[in-house]
Amino acid sequence: MIACNRRFGEAGVAKSSIHVRSAGGIERGFIVLVCRACIDPPCMKVCPTNALSKRIGGGVILNSSKCVGCKLCVNACTIGAIFWDEENEKPVICVHCGYCVDYCPYNVIRMEEIS
């Protein structure tokens, strides 16, 4: 989460597009929430200003200048992998840069091509 936030040159996790939460207790482990690069992204379909466009290989690219901050994309994501930047009032969506992969000490995160 911290590595992802570094993309913005900031400390902390406020603008991270990866979140980790408990799966229901220590015994059940944790769940990593991150965009799964949908081929037909529901978040893009609900955007009233076309601020989200399809990314080659899956997922979406955000054009912040078109975003009006309606949060429809956040609600449309079926796995809850779109987060909200309260400061800028824009969604935080994984851009699949792979930056996090290099910093994951347990090799939980990896990038792979989907055919």
Side-chain angles (χ1 to χ4, degrees):
M1 290 170 52
I2 292 172
C4 181
N5 205 58
R6 285 183 181 173
R7 293 181 304 137
F8 302 101
E10 296 186 16
V13 296
K15 296 182 181 179
S16 175
S17 57
I18 300 174
H19 285 219
V20 178
R21 66 175 173 88
S22 169
I26 294 175
E27 296 162 352
R28 298 185 71 190
F30 299 93
I31 296 171
V32 176
L33 294 172
V34 65
C35 176
R36 300 292 198 264
C38 299
I39 298 300
D40 191 22
C43 57
M44 186 186 78
K45 291 179 181 176
V46 298
C47 181
T49 61
N50 296 318
L52 297 174
S53 56
K54 268 190 181 180
R55 178 185 161 275
I56 295 172
V60 293
I61 299 292
L62 171 67
N63 181 340
S64 291
S65 65
K66 288 183 173 182
C67 179
V68 294
C70 66
K71 292 187 177 181
L72 291 175
C73 56
V74 174
N75 297 329
C77 180
T78 57
I79 61 170
I82 297 179
F83 307 102
W84 193 250
D85 178 350
E86 295 291 342
E87 179 182 352
N88 296 317
E89 297 186 352
K90 305 284 182 192
V92 178
I93 303 172
C94 179
V95 295
H96 305 279
C97 66
Y99 198 73
C100 56
V101 174
D102 295 336
Y103 287 93
C104 181
Y106 302 104
N107 298 317
V108 173
I109 303 169
R110 68 175 186 264
M111 299 282 288
E112 62 184 50
E113 292 287 329
I114 298 173
S115 55

